[in-house]
Amino acid sequence: MPLARPVVLGNWKMNGLKADGLALVGRLAARAAHPSGTLGVFPPATLIGPVAQRLSASRILVGGQDCHQAESGAYTGSISAAMLADAGATAVLVGHSERRHGLGEDDALIKAKAEAALAQGLLVVLCIGETEAEYLAGERDLVLTRQLDHGLPEGATPENLVVAYEPVWAIGTGRTPSLDEISETHSRLRGLMAERLTGGAEVALLYGGSVKAENAADIMSLEAVDGALVGGASLDADGFWSIYTAGGGA
Ligand code: 13P
């Protein structure tokens, strides 16, 4: 079965120590241990174990923010998909722009990471998005098509893959594309996914980039938007919950 909608995922990035991370997920679990949609948190790697344990009686997903493409080996500082799963994660983000642009990850590497994650049974959240220069040059569609063509993992299905469209220039800036632009981009992505995967039209498509309680309802009411990938606003349990309910979750 494809994931229950809305799909609202919180990427904590490099934020959170044990006490506040556990308090945050405790407040979320108190709201809905068994959410009607798909609700997930992506804490820093150090907190995956404790957060997964805290949420073990709930259906709130816990995921990693990245994984290495190899199963194990001499890769100092890296974490494999098997390690994420072992710590209690059931999902992982790959291709986040802060890794593409901050750390030079390319589509081939992102695809390898996604395939390593699928091999461990993790739900892959593949992040794609154009930079501001690409947006201004009218290259958005070209970039997104390239990122999908080279980054989509073999073996992806609507059950094990989510695609998150995050324009790089909208991340952490308070700026978002217009609703018409989001709608147009997501409809295009829906078509691309349908062409590239069996059942691809069922893959959940999330919007990410400056999603807040104030704009979440408008964005998630767009027909081609199945949910949101939330950064800063996911660090507050009440705010994150408001975003989830704005998308129709309970
Ligand atoms: P913000 O919601 O802070 O803009 O971050 C979005 C993001 O990068 C989620 O992965």
Side-chain angles (χ1 to χ4, degrees):
M1 274 228 308
L3 299 177
R5 274 47 166 182
V7 180
V8 176
L9 308 177
N11 173 10
W12 296 3
K13 308 191 180 186
M14 198 173 73
N15 294 293
L17 299 177
K18 209 187 305 175
D20 39 290
L22 288 177
L24 199 170
V25 294
R27 282 198 292 275
L28 283 181
R31 297 274 200 175
H34 297 278
S36 61
T38 304
L39 184 63
V41 293
F42 292 72
T46 49
L47 294 187
I48 289 172
V51 163
Q53 199 168 18
R54 177 69 186 79
L55 292 176
S56 59
S58 87
R59 283 212 310 259
I60 300 174
L61 294 182
V62 182
Q65 298 175 9
D66 176 54
C67 66
H68 197 277
Q69 67 278 18
E71 270 180 45
S72 62
Y75 303 104
T76 301
S78 296
I79 295 173
S80 71
M83 290 168 182
L84 291 178
D86 189 45
T90 58
V92 66
L93 305 179
V94 297
H96 193 280
S97 75
E98 285 149 19
R99 299 197 63 92
R100 286 180 189 267
H101 301 292
L103 298 168
E105 294 194 358
D106 63 13
D107 290 316
L109 177 61
I110 289 159
K111 179 178 181 181
K113 290 181 174 208
E115 289 175 351
L118 290 182
Q120 294 299 326
L122 297 177
L123 172 73
V124 169
V125 182
L126 173 65
C127 305
I128 59 175
E130 82 285 358
T131 63
E132 180 150 39
E134 290 162 342
Y135 175 74
L136 292 174
E139 293 171 355
R140 178 195 64 202
D141 294 346
L142 199 74
V143 169
L144 298 179
T145 306
R146 188 188 68 223
Q147 290 176 339
L148 283 184
D149 279 343
H150 298 281
L152 270 183
E154 291 293 330
T157 68
E159 288 75 34
N160 65 21
L161 178 74
V162 170
V163 173
Y165 167 55
E166 300 200 297
V168 180
W169 52 273
I171 294 177
T173 59
R175 296 158 59 207
T176 62
S178 69
L179 292 173
D180 282 349
E181 283 177 302
I182 296 174
S183 183
E184 180 195 311
T185 305
H186 275 244
S187 301
R188 232 187 101 76
L189 289 173
R190 180 84 63 207
L192 291 174
M193 292 303 295
E195 284 166 20
R196 279 156 184 74
L197 282 188
T198 311
E202 301 296 317
V203 169
L205 296 180
L206 313 188
Y207 169 78
S210 297
V211 175
K212 305 178 181 14
E214 298 76 49
N215 60 16
D218 284 345
I219 292 172
M220 284 191 275
S221 68
L222 298 172
E223 185 169 342
V225 176
D226 298 310
L229 179 55
V230 185
S234 72
L235 295 172
D236 171 69
D238 294 339
F240 186 49
W241 180 256
S242 307
I243 292 171
Y244 174 68
T245 55

